[in-house]
Amino acid sequence: MSVNSIANNNPPVFQPKGGKQMDQSDFMRLMTAQLSQQDPFNPVDNQQMVAQMAQFSSLAGISETNTVLAKISEQLTAQTQLLKDIKASQPSIPTTQEG
């Protein structure tokens, strides 16, 4: 009995370019490819699938939080610089001591 080799003619699903991080669309493509290529007699464990989706959702939330915090930091830096500029442009007011 001879066994013929099976050639994989499908292109890779994801090819990172220059350290590109995966995003939600990449995750969905990978998940779709995984589901379409799974063995129908040995399907992917539902618990693993849910765990992966939960991890990705958590990661997406953390990424969004980091983006928002970076914007807040930029705004605070700009406001601090503005306050320094305002303070520097104010004439000094002499103080009098009453006793």
Side-chain angles (χ1 to χ4, degrees), residues 4-42:
N4 297 329
S5 67
I6 299 174
N8 185 2
N9 295 329
N10 296 331
V13 175
F14 177 73
Q15 295 177 339
K17 297 177 184 174
K20 176 185 175 250
Q21 291 185 351
M22 294 179 67
D23 60 6
Q24 190 170 8
S25 64
D26 296 323
F27 176 78
M28 294 304 289
R29 279 189 296 197
L30 286 172
M31 187 176 77
T32 304
Q34 181 181 7
L35 290 174
S36 67
Q37 299 296 319
Q38 72 179 338
D39 180 5
F41 298 108
N42 186 16

Side-chain angles (χ1 to χ4, degrees), residues 53-74:
M53 291 173 69
Q55 287 175 345
F56 187 79
S57 295
S58 177
L59 180 61
I62 290 169
S63 178
E64 180 66 24
T65 301
N66 286 343
T67 302
V68 170
L69 288 175
K71 289 179 183 179
I72 290 171
S73 176
E74 290 172 8

